[in-house]
């Protein structure tokens, strides 16, 4: 009788996971923005644009996703990330959802981030077609991080985004894209796959296959779409 009860518990657990989509894996695609003018020493300020190569890199991202049905595209509100996300959004006929938590880190030594005249939420939304802030952000408030912050603060806000907007999709077979910066994408990679050592390239695509229990089943980086313009 005891053996029978143990196995019934196991069966019940399996049924629970099946009901929750336990056999489904979520595909999380993490992308660092394309090469920026700051990346190549040509300035542009805290909210710099993409370089000529960066614009080209952004245009190549949709080629990777041509046979993938993307559910949502999240992006940092900073211009270099947003501009990297737009070509994919247009190809997928989806909006770009702006996520303040995926912003660049505002370190104390980077005073240009403190002094920059950042655009308000409504100004950014009006400057681009089909771009909107995530519903959990109050658009009457500033979206950029409070300067100064350290790397622990960056990890905390990225973790908050993951817990609220990525984790609920675990147990589904959806495809979710997140575009960010060197530090915010590195933190997201570590949250999805603790100990992750995959390098972050400009416009490179890191795919995480996530199980329903939140464990990473596999992780791999794709740069073939970038040809000779693979940069970090």
């Amino acid at each position: 009788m005891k053996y029978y009860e143990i196995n019934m518990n196991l069966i019940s657990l399996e049924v629970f996971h099946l009901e929750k989509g336990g056999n489904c894996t979520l595909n999380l695609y993490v992308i660092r923005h394309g090469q920026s003018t700051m990346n190549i020493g040509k300035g542009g300020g805290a909210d710099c644009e993409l370089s000529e190569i960066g614009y080209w890199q952004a245009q190549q991202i949709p080629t990777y996703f041509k046979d993938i049905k993307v559910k949502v595209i999240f992006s940092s509100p900073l211009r270099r990330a947003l501009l990297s996300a737009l070509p994919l959004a247009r190809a997928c006929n989806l909006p770009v959802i702006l996520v303040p938590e995926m912003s660049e880190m505002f370190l104390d030594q980077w005073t240009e981030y403190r002094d920059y005249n950042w655009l308000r939420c409504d100004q950014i939304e009006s400057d681009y077609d089909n771009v909107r802030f995530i519903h959990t952000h109050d658009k009457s408030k500033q979206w950029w991080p409070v300067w100064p912050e350290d790397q622990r603060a960056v990890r905390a806000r990225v973790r908050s985004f993951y817990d609220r907007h990525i984790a609920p999709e675990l147990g589904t077979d959806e495809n979710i894209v997140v575009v960010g910066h060197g530090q915010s994408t590195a933190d997201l990679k570590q949250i999805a796959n603790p100990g992750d050592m995959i390098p972050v390239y400009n416009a490179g695509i890191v795919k995480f296959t996530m199980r329903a229990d939140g464990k990473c089943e596999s992780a791999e980086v794709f740069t073939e779409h970038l040809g000779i313009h693979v940069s970090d």
Side-chain angles (χ1 to χ4, degrees):
M1 175 66 85
K2 188 175 182 180
Y3 177 79
Y4 172 81
E5 290 175 349
I6 291 173
N7 276 274
M8 284 302 293
N9 286 336
L10 291 174
I11 291 170
S12 296
L13 188 60
E14 287 298 319
V15 170
F16 174 79
H17 280 299
L18 286 172
E19 290 175 347
K20 288 296 199 179
N23 288 338
C24 294
T25 53
L26 171 71
N27 293 316
L28 173 62
Y29 300 90
V30 180
I31 304 174
R32 183 189 178 194
H33 61 76
Q35 184 187 81
S36 70
T37 54
M38 289 283 281
N39 288 151
I40 58 174
K42 291 190 176 181
D47 200 18
C48 62
E49 296 202 20
L50 297 175
S51 68
E52 183 178 348
I53 287 176
Y55 275 107
W56 181 88
Q57 290 173 329
Q59 292 292 337
Q60 309 316 305
I61 292 174
T63 64
Y64 173 85
F65 290 95
K66 60 184 175 64
D67 297 318
I68 298 171
K69 184 175 177 56
V70 175
K71 179 181 181 180
V72 61
I73 301 169
F74 294 115
S75 173
S76 156
L78 274 78
R79 187 176 288 119
R80 52 193 180 273
L82 173 53
L83 291 172
S84 299
L86 280 172
L88 177 61
R90 290 167 181 152
C92 296
N93 195 28
L94 290 170
V96 176
I97 306 300
L98 301 179
V99 179
E101 292 87 349
M102 286 302 298
S103 297
E104 179 63 280
M105 55 184 174
F106 279 40
L107 297 181
D108 58 355
Q109 61 265 42
W110 294 357
T111 54
E112 65 268 30
Y113 285 83
R114 176 197 63 194
D115 301 332
Y116 192 83
N117 185 25
W118 297 99
L119 295 178
R120 301 186 311 269
C121 295
D122 62 305
Q123 291 175 309
I124 296 175
E125 290 181 335
S126 66
D127 281 349
Y128 301 94
D129 293 330
N130 218 12
V131 168
R132 62 175 182 263
F133 275 81
I134 197 163
H135 70 276
T136 50
H137 177 70
D138 182 351
K139 292 192 290 184
S140 67
K141 298 179 180 179
Q142 75 171 54
W143 59 265
W144 55 95
V146 175
W147 181 95
E149 62 175 357
D150 58 23
Q151 291 185 358
R152 290 176 299 177
V154 180
R155 174 66 67 91
R157 58 177 162 85
V158 174
R159 163 61 76 177
S160 174
F161 162 65
Y162 179 90
D163 290 345
R164 296 181 74 180
H165 302 287
I166 304 297
E169 299 291 340
L170 295 170
T172 73
D173 59 358
E174 301 290 359
N175 298 287
I176 295 177
V177 177
V178 183
V179 182
H181 304 265
Q183 188 60 51
S184 61
T185 55
D187 282 323
L188 184 55
K189 288 163 66 268
Q190 287 294 325
I191 292 166
N193 185 33
D196 184 84
M197 298 294 290
I198 294 176
V200 178
Y201 300 101
N202 288 124
I205 299 167
V206 184
K207 175 185 177 183
F208 296 98
T209 302
M210 307 294 295
R211 298 187 334 215
D213 61 2
K215 302 295 184 183
C216 181
E217 188 172 279
S218 65
E220 50 189 330
V221 62
F222 299 92
T223 58
E224 292 82 359
H225 58 291
L226 300 176
I228 63 172
H229 295 301
V230 179
S231 57
D232 56 9

